Amino acid sequence: MLGSLDARIPAGSLDSKWTDHKFSMRLVNPNNKRRFDVIVVGSGLAGASAAASLGELGYRVKVLTYHDSPRRAHSIAAQGGINAAKNYQNDGDSVYRLFYDTIKGGDYRAREANVYRLAEVSVDIIDQATAQGVPFAREYGGLLDNRSFGGAQVSRTFYARGQTGQQLLLGAYSALMRQVAAGTVELHTRSEMLELVMHDGRAVGVVTRDLITGEIVAHSAHAVVLATGGYGNVYFLSTNAKMCNVTAAWRAHRKGALFANPCYTQIHPTCIPASDDFQSKLTLMSESLRNDGRIWVPVAHDDGREPDQIPDADRDYFLERKYPAFGNLVPRDVASRNAKTVVDEGRGVGPLRNGVYLDFSGAMARDGEAMIRAKYGNLFDMYERITGEDPYRVPMRIYPATHYTMGGLWVDYELMSNVPGLFVLGEANFSDHGANRLGASALMQGLADGYFILPYTIGNYLSDFLGDPALEISEPAFANAEQAVTDEVNRWLSIGGTRSVDHYHRELGKLVWDYIGMARNKTGLEKALSEIPALREEYHRNVRVLGSADTLNQSLEKAGRVADLFELAELMARDALTREESCGGHFREEHQTEEGEAMRDDDNFTHVAAWEWNGEGTPQTRHREELEFENVELTQRSYK
Amino acid sequence: MSSEINLTLKVWRQPGPLAEGRFVTYEASGISTDASFLEMLDIVNERLIEMGDEPIVFESDCREGICGTCGLMINGQAHGPQKGTATCQLHMRSFNDGDHIVIEPWRATSFPVLRDLAVDRRAMDAIIAAGGYISVNTGAAPDANLTPVPKETADTAFDAAACIGCGACVAACPNSAAQLFTAAKVQHLNLLPQGQAQRWARTEAMVETMEEFFGSCTNHGECEEACPKEIPIDFIAWTNRDYIKAKVKNRKLAG
Amino acid sequence: MAQAITRVSTPPPVRSEPRVKLPWPLNIYQTAVGKKWVMGLTGIALLGFIVVHMIGNLHLYEGPLEIHEYAETLRDLGTKLLPRTWLLWIMRIGLIIAFALHIHSAYSLSRMSIAADKRYPGGRSYIAANFASRTMRWTGPIIGLYLFYHLADLTWGWFNPDFVRGDPYHNVSESLSSIPVAILYIVANTALAVHIFHGTWSMFQSLGVNSPRYNHLRRYLAAGLAGIILVGNLSFPIFVQAGVIDDDGRSIVEELQHGTAEGEDH
């Protein structure tokens, strides 16, 4: 049974923990590595970098992805950049400062040791990516350029136009394909993991469904690595890609892996508002827009005038008004919540009254349209393509949208979950961002986990199994898991209800957005805990999945994913309800300062909440991992 | 501002890779011009499901023009009528009330149709596996600022690297050549100092793998027009030049 | 270099490895890009011939004797080093080889593209492809057939009962004064110009001659060359039909041989 959770953080001073631990971990000698099978699920930054690195070391790796090519993973959509404590700009950055900013940005709900390690290896990521040919932005002298991002006071963000995620993923993908060609990595595309296979309490493989033929396939290995991303699509409308889902992580959770801090979700303030009910996803606009754009709404409720007809006196620049020091550059969660407040007051703009203006007229008057075009031209083009409005003439409309989820499967210092042999990387784990992620840190974490952490720590686990072959797939553990998947597939096809999977996903999303969105309260969360299970019950009774199991059947794929999102949503509500404080992306209306700022309760909630599955219909058990802060002092954030 | 339009869709339906396909006509009525093209198909699919018909299979993921998953032949144009725009970013305001829209999958022998509008593009991964990388093991990299790269070089390499691997260049090419895709991938690495060590081996291997699966370029320039990232065909010329050089250099180096 | 081993499962290749690997540099011709390269190079040779041929033919406008003398000059080329007509024959053989390679590479690349290509039953629209680029596989064979006719007509004299060997002026005016033949020449030379328009531009791409600063000039060059060749070549059938080139059935060569030629001091 689980006691208080032990993250197995090595002893010693903060800056020597990782170095010492690397030395103390057991190694697998090069000749023995090829006797170990490792399954990597997911091919984004974390998965591709891990698989490539493990392949280079000589492990026999199998990569499973539901995409048609590893290069499509959603890491590709990250725009802004990647942080690294290189201090190339000589502006006072350091590993310690990046560590400190990340801990503080996460509102003191992340592990010191993990975050310090992340900051430490961040510099190696830039070296690795550059050597792979990632075309980072450069200065005229040919050296790498940096920019300041997300309110950081140093310029430590490396970027590749507005497509940093794409370029980093293509780097990791190219490294992966090199290993595929070398024969160390076996690539299975369009294979969706639907079960984790356990044997003797360890993770020994997975079962997948081939999305083209419907074939159920068992894969056996000495260790399973999940790098399957976050669960932002529980909101239906988010900036996540359409296929993003929680299924791989959730199926592991159902087999015993703890799910930590599910209520920590990040809302990004500058997205294009939904334009109608058919909206399928929301598009993010780089946060850098807030450097020059001024955010406002009309003072009057339901002011029907066109924006250029509203004089300055009738405009409310609400961020500048409330936060004179930071103004429009307050952190993401603060900007988002304030936008929600004014829209909820009925002062939203646009046809659906669901946005706020982001106005560049002042900046254009000051710097000239050409300057603004040079800085943001591609973003303005994208905005016009989507909305049909010209942001050079009419202020942009923006509204917050779910962007990233800090919660995920619980992992220890070595990125192994409480299930031995199950490692979790990237957004799928909960580890490094605490309650709120800093801008340009997601790419950093995914690649740190995949390139520089897992390849060391996995050896420490595998060295116990030298000489043991991977479990035969003829073992009952695999047959049972295959049967479970087959049964599930058949169950969806036999329901024969009346409404589509998307219909229920959309309904679920509305509930989650309303009750577990930017601001939560007890009443809403309790409502969520009654309404979500009710909708879920209807879903299982009335969903319509047409077609058959042996073809490319997208409704069938989605059916299982949405079912898992239903269960996750319930857990999010429970987690949010139990966490009686506000921190980072989790804002409980009951816990705020007089000025409406998040108020933490460090005495009672300086811990990770990790939930244990107890079977369907029974609430999960909450376990705690206490967070020890030995190096930084906990302070309240203030952006006045 | 937004308005509603009625459309007639002629959509390619094909139950499976080996099955015969055919066009099926659907009426898409009351479509908002603010909808994206794929959202329009989402709406049509919802209605199909309600009527008990299987939805049209089409692929998409990020829906913001960067993942390269989506791709439809819309009225004979890859990714539809708007230049520099992937299918997911195409919006219905590009169409008029009463329009007839023909929707087909990408077509090329090496892009077999899987179902309806979804095709198999793994041949493109094979080109990357042949040499679309710089061989640097994790941890073996020198400091990132050790090798300065002229800004112009980095920018041009980026222009090539912007490729999203959607396959529109192949779909649009009357020869089903993958020259623009391959050239973009080759030149991204060939232009950078980091890519020089494997420049000639890479060029030869990637071009020859490309030739196993795709047709031969006749310089129509359709690919450049279809490319959602507007990658210029100059990269094709440079790759052709590098390829002949590679044939000479690789022979010398191999002895 | 040996083909890299790809371990990505793919659809079956459209094109298999050549059965026999030829030694370098012939192996370059076994690849598509190599064939394109050969097509570009042979294109330059053929284009050079066409330009020189067209300019040479302008001697027609000087008169029957001048074009005859021009033809003789060609046969005399290189006689300081080689026996008479040898250099001409060397050039002709070079042209024949270039032509054969041009055709063979075009043929095999077309086959490759046809194998790789699936048509769109719903139709397709062309944005960048122009009439010239889309008709290369038509204009090419038209030019080939025309070339055969042209040689048979004006070099071998198969179709012209009045053919006089070595008297271009006479032969041209006899042949092109027939309306169907003139039309045939006009059509074929239009096809040639269209072919050259795309071929010239395309050649830069295939040979990798590309520098963003000068790239816009390539279209002008292609249009200019195609235009000049079109005007020059079409002038002959038109002016024969208009009666500007006309020897009234008399052959200057026959007259020279029979000593009845007037005027020219020979």
Side-chain angles (χ1 to χ4, degrees):
Chain A
M1 260 321 285
L2 297 155
S4 170
L5 285 169
D6 180 10
R8 298 195 293 157
I9 295 166
S13 69
L14 188 61
D15 58 355
S16 64
K17 281 182 201 284
W18 178 233
T19 314
D20 294 349
H21 191 60
K22 278 195 284 188
F23 181 71
S24 66
M25 278 188 290
R26 288 161 301 170
L27 299 173
V28 178
N29 100 37
N31 289 328
N32 286 333
K33 287 195 175 100
R34 72 174 72 103
R35 294 157 67 184
F36 285 114
D37 291 298
V38 180
I39 289 171
V40 178
V41 186
S43 66
L45 284 181
S49 59
S53 304
L54 294 175
E56 288 159 9
L57 290 170
Y59 292 107
R60 283 193 313 230
V61 184
K62 215 180 236 190
V63 170
L64 308 172
T65 167
Y66 58 59
H67 284 105
D68 70 320
S69 161
R71 64 176 295 154
R72 312 245 186 253
H74 192 54
S75 309
I76 206 155
Q79 296 173 0
I82 176 167
N83 287 330
K86 278 284 197 187
N87 194 28
Y88 281 159
Q89 305 305 323
N90 196 30
D91 57 358
D93 198 13
S94 63
V95 167
Y96 194 84
R97 189 178 295 280
L98 176 55
F99 152 76
Y100 181 80
D101 288 353
T102 308
I103 285 281
K104 181 179 174 218
D107 227 357
Y108 308 98
R109 291 294 175 263
R111 266 185 216 144
E112 278 191 342
N114 279 54
V115 175
Y116 193 86
R117 176 179 63 186
L118 174 66
E120 243 181 313
V121 303
S122 68
V123 295
D124 299 330
I125 297 170
I126 302 303
D127 297 342
Q128 185 65 29
T130 304
Q132 285 168 347
V134 171
F136 283 122
R138 287 179 185 267
E139 294 166 346
Y140 281 99
L143 301 181
L144 293 167
D145 191 20
N146 292 110
R147 62 183 173 198
S148 134
F149 199 80
Q153 288 173 302
V154 291
S155 292
R156 64 159 75 99
T157 304
F158 294 79
Y159 64 102
R161 295 192 192 155
Q163 296 147 39
T164 318
Q166 180 201 23
Q167 293 309 319
L168 287 169
L169 181 62
L170 292 180
Y173 159 73
S174 71
L176 171 66
M177 294 312 283
R178 173 174 160 242
Q179 293 309 307
V180 170
T184 59
V185 175
E186 204 178 293
L187 177 63
H188 295 257
T189 53
R190 298 191 194 265
S191 296
E192 179 170 27
M193 170 187 156
L194 291 175
E195 278 297 341
L196 177 71
V197 181
M198 304 279 292
H199 183 72
D200 277 350
R202 291 186 292 114
V204 294
V206 301
V207 170
T208 59
R209 177 174 177 269
D210 183 309
L211 299 182
I212 304 301
T213 62
E215 195 187 350
I216 311 289
V217 188
H219 305 270
S220 169
H222 293 89
V224 175
V225 179
L226 297 188
T228 50
Y231 49 87
N233 269 350
V234 69
Y235 292 92
F236 186 74
L237 283 182
S238 78
T239 67
N240 283 11
K242 289 297 285 174
M243 295 205 282
C244 290
N245 64 76
V246 76
T247 289
W250 197 256
R251 305 284 161 112
H253 173 56
R254 291 174 61 119
K255 285 286 168 73
L258 302 179
F259 207 103
N261 298 336
C263 75
Y264 291 166
T265 56
Q266 187 175 66
I267 312 288
H268 196 288
T270 51
C271 302
I272 302 175
S275 61
D276 211 335
D277 286 340
F278 50 75
Q279 188 92 23
S280 61
K281 76 153 292 182
L282 296 170
T283 302
L284 183 140
M285 308 278 291
S286 170
E287 208 167 5
S288 60
L289 290 169
R290 286 200 281 149
N291 289 331
D292 282 303
R294 294 180 72 194
I295 294 173
W296 63 276
V297 289
V299 172
H301 291 205
D302 295 316
D303 189 328
R305 288 177 288 178
E306 290 297 309
D308 57 345
Q309 302 299 316
I310 303 178
D312 239 23
D314 293 348
R315 298 178 177 190
D316 178 12
Y317 294 92
F318 54 93
L319 290 178
E320 297 172 23
R321 173 170 56 80
K322 288 171 78 175
Y323 310 95
F326 277 72
N328 294 301
L329 291 173
V330 291
R332 290 174 174 181
D333 53 331
V334 179
S336 300
R337 266 198 310 279
N338 279 284
K340 177 180 161 56
T341 308
V342 295
V343 169
D344 288 350
E345 285 168 10
R347 296 197 283 150
V349 300
L352 301 180
R353 297 271 176 270
N354 62 349
V356 299
Y357 287 126
L358 178 64
D359 195 338
F360 288 86
S361 54
M364 280 191 282
R366 185 183 69 226
D367 301 337
E369 190 181 314
M371 178 71 114
I372 295 300
R373 195 178 289 276
K375 267 185 175 168
Y376 307 114
N378 56 343
L379 293 168
F380 278 38
D381 290 349
M382 182 167 85
Y383 181 84
E384 185 172 5
R385 209 172 288 152
I386 292 169
T387 62
E389 290 173 5
D390 176 6
Y392 293 102
R393 307 278 87 83
V394 187
M396 282 185 180
R397 290 176 291 112
I398 56 165
Y399 198 62
T402 308
H403 174 54
Y404 188 86
T405 53
M406 281 73 70
L409 291 178
W410 184 87
V411 289
D412 63 14
Y413 186 70
E414 297 194 350
L415 302 182
M416 188 161 81
S417 70
N418 60 306
V419 173
L422 178 69
F423 292 80
V424 190
L425 314 184
E427 194 180 350
N429 74 25
F430 87 106
S431 68
D432 296 355
H433 303 300
N436 184 38
R437 179 177 64 74
L438 285 188
S441 281
L443 302 180
M444 173 172 70
Q445 187 226 338
L447 290 177
D449 290 359
Y451 281 134
F452 296 110
I453 299 171
L454 179 85
Y456 291 96
T457 59
I458 203 170
N460 200 26
Y461 169 76
L462 291 173
S463 56
D464 276 345
F465 305 99
L466 192 57
D468 300 351
L471 196 66
E472 291 291 329
I473 55 168
S474 52
E475 290 281 326
F478 284 100
N480 294 342
E482 286 176 60
Q483 193 54 48
V485 173
T486 310
D487 291 347
E488 186 204 344
V489 165
N490 292 335
R491 194 176 68 242
W492 293 123
L493 292 169
S494 64
I495 292 174
T498 60
R499 305 306 299 261
S500 71
V501 178
D502 277 349
H503 165 80
Y504 284 104
H505 190 183
R506 207 179 281 272
E507 293 298 311
L508 170 68
K510 280 182 199 153
L511 288 179
V512 180
W513 180 248
D514 287 346
Y515 299 134
I516 328 171
M518 274 185 275
R520 297 111 189 231
N521 58 50
K522 189 160 188 277
T523 325
L525 291 168
E526 279 168 352
K527 264 193 190 160
L529 280 174
S530 69
E531 288 179 26
I532 292 169
L535 186 65
R536 174 171 171 267
E537 188 275 328
E538 186 194 325
Y539 175 69
H540 281 273
R541 192 166 34 80
N542 193 40
V543 72
R544 173 180 280 186
V545 181
L546 299 166
S548 60
D550 57 354
T551 58
L552 178 51
N553 186 337
Q554 294 172 321
S555 302
L556 180 59
E557 293 168 20
K558 283 187 273 191
R561 295 173 193 163
V562 171
D564 293 335
L565 289 174
F566 266 106
E567 294 180 357
L568 166 81
E570 208 178 317
L571 183 62
M572 278 172 72
R574 189 159 288 120
D575 188 44
L577 189 62
T578 332
R579 188 166 282 277
E580 290 277 359
E581 65 161 351
S582 294
C583 60
H586 170 63
F587 188 82
R588 282 286 300 268
E589 287 165 355
E590 300 92 330
H591 304 285
Q592 51 182 314
T593 63
E594 281 175 16
E595 295 97 356
E597 299 307 325
M599 198 161 66
R600 288 197 319 268
D601 178 357
D602 290 336
D603 291 339
N604 293 307
F605 287 97
T606 310
H607 63 247
V608 173
W611 299 84
E612 183 191 4
W613 179 257
N614 286 323
E616 246 164 272
T618 316
Q620 281 100 326
T621 311
R622 190 177 195 264
H623 298 274
R624 289 157 65 130
E625 179 204 333
E626 298 302 332
L627 293 169
E628 310 286 339
F629 289 93
E630 295 164 348
N631 297 276
V632 297
E633 199 185 325
L634 276 58
T635 58
Q636 202 73 35
R637 295 187 305 167
S638 172
Y639 297 96
K640 287 279 172 188
Chain B
M1 290 312 286
S2 85
S3 60
E4 291 202 340
I5 55 176
N6 301 310
L7 303 157
T8 305
L9 310 179
K10 213 173 130 190
V11 183
W12 185 261
R13 300 298 306 258
Q14 182 173 332
L18 302 173
E20 283 284 309
R22 67 194 176 94
F23 282 109
V24 179
T25 304
Y26 301 100
E27 296 300 326
S29 55
I31 301 294
S32 161
T33 50
D34 275 342
S36 74
F37 197 84
L38 298 182
E39 285 165 354
M40 182 273 291
L41 288 178
D42 286 341
I43 295 168
V44 171
N45 274 346
E46 280 288 307
R47 294 176 187 168
L48 285 177
I49 293 171
E50 244 165 62
M51 292 188 302
D53 287 342
E54 280 197 66
I56 302 160
V57 174
F58 65 92
E59 293 196 277
S60 79
D61 198 23
C62 78
R63 297 210 178 182
E64 48 189 82
I66 194 74
C67 74
T69 308
C70 67
L72 300 174
M73 203 71 175
I74 300 167
N75 284 339
Q77 259 178 284
H79 286 310
Q82 196 173 359
K83 193 168 157 60
T85 305
T87 304
C88 61
Q89 297 248 286
L90 176 69
H91 279 68
M92 296 314 291
R93 62 183 77 89
S94 298
F95 298 89
N96 298 313
D97 191 40
D99 276 359
H100 287 244
I101 306 177
V102 180
I103 307 170
E104 277 193 75
W106 285 170
R107 295 202 193 269
T109 310
S110 291
F111 282 177
V113 173
L114 296 169
R115 191 170 183 192
D116 296 346
L117 304 172
V119 300
D120 179 355
R121 288 171 286 194
R122 280 178 298 183
M124 294 168 88
D125 286 324
I127 296 175
I128 302 298
Y133 45 74
I134 290 171
S135 295
V136 49
N137 282 356
T138 303
D143 186 88
N145 261 350
L146 185 71
T147 314
V149 181
K151 186 171 167 35
E152 295 75 10
T153 308
D155 286 348
T156 311
F158 193 103
D159 290 341
C163 169
I164 59 172
C166 63
C169 48
V170 177
C173 178
N175 302 308
S176 292
Q179 202 101 10
L180 189 61
F181 167 75
T182 310
K185 305 311 291 180
V186 168
Q187 290 306 319
H188 158 213
L189 300 176
N190 280 9
L191 284 163
L192 292 170
Q194 287 83 1
Q196 295 311 303
Q198 287 167 295
R199 179 173 183 169
W200 310 116
R202 166 190 312 121
T203 309
E204 188 172 355
M206 288 178 75
V207 167
E208 287 176 12
T209 305
M210 167 191 85
E211 290 179 359
E212 283 179 38
F213 295 99
F214 297 100
S216 164
C217 173
T218 57
N219 304 310
H220 287 291
E222 284 291 331
C223 50
E224 182 180 295
E225 290 297 320
C227 177
K229 295 292 154 189
E230 300 181 73
I231 295 173
I233 54 174
D234 296 342
F235 291 121
I236 295 179
W238 300 354
T239 302
N240 288 341
R241 182 180 60 197
D242 278 2
Y243 179 73
I244 297 299
K245 275 194 194 166
K247 279 297 202 191
V248 177
K249 302 230 182 207
N250 288 341
R251 171 174 167 270
K252 277 190 191 153
L253 294 171
Chain C
M1 205 188 88
Q3 193 66 58
I5 308 151
T6 59
R7 290 170 196 266
V8 181
S9 44
T10 58
V14 171
R15 184 165 176 262
S16 47
E17 286 274 279
R19 244 168 295 150
V20 186
K21 280 231 161 188
L22 295 176
W24 190 89
L26 296 177
N27 65 343
I28 295 175
Y29 190 71
Q30 289 186 310
T31 70
V33 171
K35 282 198 178 83
K36 288 294 293 180
W37 198 66
V38 168
M39 195 188 279
L41 283 183
T42 54
I44 293 176
L46 295 170
L47 186 60
F49 164 75
I50 288 164
V51 171
V52 171
H53 183 61
M54 191 271 286
I55 293 171
N57 286 351
L58 295 177
H59 287 288
L60 278 170
Y61 295 113
E62 291 178 347
L65 196 58
E66 284 74 8
I67 184 82
H68 170 72
E69 283 171 355
Y70 165 67
E72 290 301 314
T73 318
L74 290 179
R75 294 190 181 93
D76 288 339
L77 280 179
T79 35
K80 290 220 167 73
L81 293 169
L82 296 166
R84 194 175 125 89
T85 75
W86 274 43
L87 187 57
L88 186 64
W89 270 110
I90 288 169
M91 291 196 296
R92 280 175 175 164
I93 288 166
L95 273 179
I96 290 166
I97 292 171
F99 201 68
L101 284 173
H102 200 78
I103 291 171
H104 180 259
S105 53
Y107 170 76
S108 48
L109 290 176
S110 301
R111 278 193 36 162
M112 177 177 163
S113 292
I114 288 163
D117 187 26
K118 280 261 170 69
R119 304 276 126 190
Y120 285 91
R124 71 185 310 155
S125 8
Y126 294 99
I127 321 297
N130 51 40
F131 179 76
S133 73
R134 297 206 318 267
T135 52
M136 292 301 273
R137 284 176 203 153
W138 290 106
T139 50
I142 289 172
I143 295 162
L145 291 173
Y146 159 72
L147 177 70
F148 176 77
Y149 176 84
H150 183 54
L151 287 171
D153 179 27
L154 291 178
T155 305
W156 306 322
W158 293 357
F159 305 130
N160 187 353
D162 222 9
F163 182 79
V164 178
R165 198 173 165 75
D167 189 351
Y169 194 94
H170 170 77
N171 295 337
V172 165
S173 92
E174 282 300 299
S175 190
L176 292 183
S177 56
S178 141
I179 289 178
V181 175
I183 289 172
L184 187 143
Y185 270 75
I186 289 169
V187 169
N189 278 293
T190 308
L192 177 67
V194 168
H195 197 84
I196 285 170
F197 174 70
H198 182 67
T200 305
W201 183 82
S202 187
M203 171 191 87
F204 285 100
Q205 283 292 107
S206 299
L207 297 179
V209 182
N210 181 301
S211 165
R213 198 186 305 173
Y214 301 111
N215 280 347
H216 63 287
L217 298 177
R218 300 181 300 182
R219 283 280 182 205
Y220 294 126
L221 178 72
L225 268 176
I228 289 167
I229 289 165
L230 183 71
V231 170
N233 280 351
L234 288 194
S235 74
F236 305 119
I238 290 169
F239 282 124
V240 170
Q241 285 292 325
V244 178
I245 298 171
D246 187 1
D247 66 353
D248 302 324
R250 294 159 53 206
S251 163
I252 186 75
V253 175
E254 282 176 353
E255 287 173 15
L256 279 174
Q257 283 163 0
H258 301 122
T260 51
E262 295 162 12
E264 297 296 330
D265 181 41
H266 202 59

